[in-house]
Amino acid sequence: MTVHLSFLLIITGLTGIHSTTVNEVSVKAGDSISIPCLYDSQYMNHVKYLCKGYYRKFCSYAVKTNQQNSQKFSVSDDKSQRIFTVTIKDLTDEDTDYWCAVKIDVLLDVGEYFHLSVTRDTPSLYVDHHEITGFKGGNITINCHYLNSGEIAWCRLGSSCVTTSSGSIDGTRVTISMSVPNVFTVTMSGLRTESSGWYWCVKGDLQMPVHVTVIEQPATTTLTATSHLTILSSTPEPVSVTTTFTDKRSTTVQGEQHSPSVPVDLMHFIIPLSLLIFVVMVTLCIWFVFKRYKRTKAESSASTTTQEEVTYSTVKKKRRTSGPAEEEVTYSNVTYMRKTSVKRSEAKSDVDVMYSSVVTVEQQSVQRVEAKDEDVTYSRLAQHQQNL
């Protein structure tokens, strides 16, 4: 198998003849693996399928492009790249021999054989990630871990391989470093959109496929959140508060990427916005408490009593009979009191009100020498301060 791989690399590098798929892959039981299968343009509209078995003539269909995928097997066809990819999940010891094949109506179907070495230990050749995403003009790094011996290489499906410390594949510079034991690191720099496709690590007679996707460098994203808040206070003029949060993001890919898009971290926007909402709520609570305090104080002052002067006067007029001549005597009883009245909050002006009570009493006549019946008049005056 080693001689076969060396011959394959020589043919690939010198003549430009390319293989259609990998032929020996080390995988771990229970994992999944995706295998790319290249076909000629004349078979673009033909049915592609995965066939299970060592002998091509006696293998059984696992999955077809014109049928629905199953839980274990799936297939997808990229006609623009002329590559169909088969995926096998939940690998077991029985998942060893397969064929990538194209259905031919008249002639015998064409296909390419590959073998899976399923192990329960660490695979002899594996990578950290089977899918890598990079930006146009940037670079990506792939770590190929190995436990076996043999020559190393970095190849592209349908193209050439790099077997030395540096080289290029389709205009993309490739550098291979072996500074870490049992790991050789592949760096692809100066990525182009055309650099997207299937590649694989090679160590001895084993290969491990890796899919590379190159996308445009996104522009710097600026997220600006502006909040305008007007706070009512006891002052005649309202207080205006404006808070602005600015979050600038520049998306950069270094090393390995595992998805074609980089999600925006919204937590840097949500946290300041939450703090702003909290400040607004606290401010409103303080304002409502202050407003209620002013209202309570106004009602208390409205109920405060006011003091006003009230004068009571009682005048009695009697005729004195003890002397030879009649003499009028006037008794006056003046009481000075402070009376309280409730002041209504809705009163607009104070009006003085004078109450006068006059009572006429017919006095019983007393037989005296000089005296006659006489009317006695009582007068009572009260002055109140009333609010309307």
Side-chain angles (χ1 to χ4, degrees):
M1 185 65 70
T2 304
V3 176
H4 172 72
L5 178 60
S6 300
F7 177 75
L8 176 63
L9 294 176
I10 294 175
I11 295 297
T12 301
L14 296 178
T15 66
I17 299 175
H18 56 266
S19 61
T20 58
T21 188
V22 297
N23 52 51
E24 186 74 23
V25 181
S26 179
V27 292
K28 187 174 183 179
D31 289 348
S32 62
I33 188 67
S34 294
I35 304 296
C37 305
L38 183 66
Y39 58 86
D40 294 334
S41 58
Q42 59 182 332
Y43 302 126
M44 183 176 297
N45 296 321
H46 286 235
V47 175
K48 291 84 178 179
Y49 62 92
L50 176 67
C51 199
K52 184 178 182 179
Y54 182 77
Y55 296 101
R56 169 71 185 82
K57 187 175 182 179
F58 301 104
C59 67
S60 59
Y61 294 115
V63 65
K64 297 181 180 181
T65 55
N66 62 346
Q67 293 180 352
Q68 187 175 1
N69 296 329
S70 63
Q71 293 183 353
K72 185 175 180 63
F73 301 100
S74 61
V75 59
S76 61
D77 188 6
D78 185 357
K79 294 183 179 181
S80 62
Q81 298 290 330
R82 295 183 293 107
I83 297 174
F84 72 95
T85 304
V86 294
T87 301
I88 307 171
K89 301 177 182 179
D90 194 18
L91 294 165
T92 64
D93 295 337
E94 298 179 356
D95 295 317
T96 54
D97 303 302
Y98 289 94
W99 291 80
C100 289
V102 177
K103 185 72 174 176
I104 308 297
D105 295 334
V106 180
L107 302 177
L108 183 66
D109 295 349
V110 295
E112 183 77 13
Y113 170 82
F114 66 89
H115 179 264
L116 300 179
S117 297
V118 182
T119 178
R120 298 190 180 278
D121 298 325
T122 303
S124 298
L125 178 64
Y126 66 94
V127 292
D128 297 328
H129 306 285
H130 292 278
E131 295 184 2
I132 309 294
T133 300
F135 292 128
K136 185 178 178 180
N139 60 78
I140 58 173
T141 301
I142 302 96
N143 293 319
C144 303
H145 304 262
Y146 62 89
L147 299 176
N148 61 330
S149 59
E151 299 293 330
I152 64 172
W154 175 254
C155 302
R156 181 175 186 178
L157 180 63
S159 185
S160 59
C161 297
V162 174
T163 58
T164 59
S165 59
S166 63
S168 65
I169 299 178
D170 298 337
T172 302
R173 181 174 178 78
V174 177
T175 303
I176 300 177
S177 173
M178 300 187 65
S179 58
V180 180
N182 295 329
V183 178
F184 68 93
T185 302
V186 178
T187 301
M188 297 179 63
S189 56
L191 294 173
R192 304 183 303 163
T193 305
E194 296 80 6
S195 302
S196 299
W198 280 98
Y199 297 79
W200 57 67
C201 300
V202 178
K203 178 62 176 177
D205 57 355
L206 296 177
Q207 306 96 43
M208 179 54 63
V210 177
H211 187 268
V212 175
T213 303
V214 180
I215 60 177
E216 293 288 340
Q217 176 74 34
T220 302
T221 303
T222 302
L223 299 178
T224 303
T226 303
S227 176
H228 184 78
L229 172 65
T230 301
I231 301 176
L232 298 178
S233 64
S234 59
T235 59
E237 296 295 332
V239 180
S240 179
V241 179
T242 302
T243 306
T244 302
F245 299 98
T246 302
D247 185 9
K248 294 184 178 180
R249 308 176 187 277
S250 179
T251 308
T252 304
V253 172
Q254 297 180 352
E256 299 176 354
Q257 302 294 327
H258 316 304
S259 61
S261 62
V262 180
V264 178
D265 186 6
L266 295 179
M267 292 303 297
H268 294 286
F269 174 71
I270 294 176
I271 293 176
L273 186 59
S274 301
L275 292 176
L276 175 62
I277 294 174
F278 175 76
V279 171
V280 172
M281 292 179 64
V282 171
T283 304
L284 290 177
C285 289
I286 295 174
W287 178 71
F288 280 118
V289 170
F290 181 74
K291 185 177 180 180
R292 185 173 181 180
Y293 169 76
K294 289 187 64 178
R295 183 181 299 173
T296 304
K297 185 176 180 181
E299 292 177 355
S300 176
S301 62
S303 61
T304 304
T305 58
T306 60
Q307 297 179 344
E308 59 185 26
E309 296 179 355
V310 179
T311 302
Y312 295 94
S313 178
T314 302
V315 179
K316 294 183 180 181
K317 186 177 180 181
K318 296 183 179 181
R319 190 172 298 276
R320 185 175 181 183
T321 59
S322 59
E326 293 182 351
E327 184 179 350
E328 293 182 354
V329 179
T330 302
Y331 297 93
S332 177
N333 184 14
V334 179
T335 304
Y336 183 76
M337 300 181 64
R338 183 77 63 177
K339 186 177 181 181
T340 59
S341 61
V342 178
K343 182 180 179 182
R344 299 181 182 177
S345 59
E346 66 270 10
K348 297 183 179 180
S349 62
D350 296 336
V351 178
D352 293 334
V353 179
M354 179 78 70
Y355 295 95
S356 178
S357 177
V358 179
V359 180
T360 302
V361 180
E362 187 73 25
Q363 187 177 7
Q364 297 287 339
S365 60
V366 180
Q367 242 3 359
R368 293 187 182 142
V369 177
E370 300 88 357
K372 295 182 180 179
D373 293 338
E374 188 177 86
D375 293 335
V376 179
T377 302
Y378 297 92
S379 176
R380 190 175 211 181
L381 301 179
Q383 183 178 3
H384 297 272
Q385 188 77 18
Q386 183 177 358
N387 292 329
L388 297 181

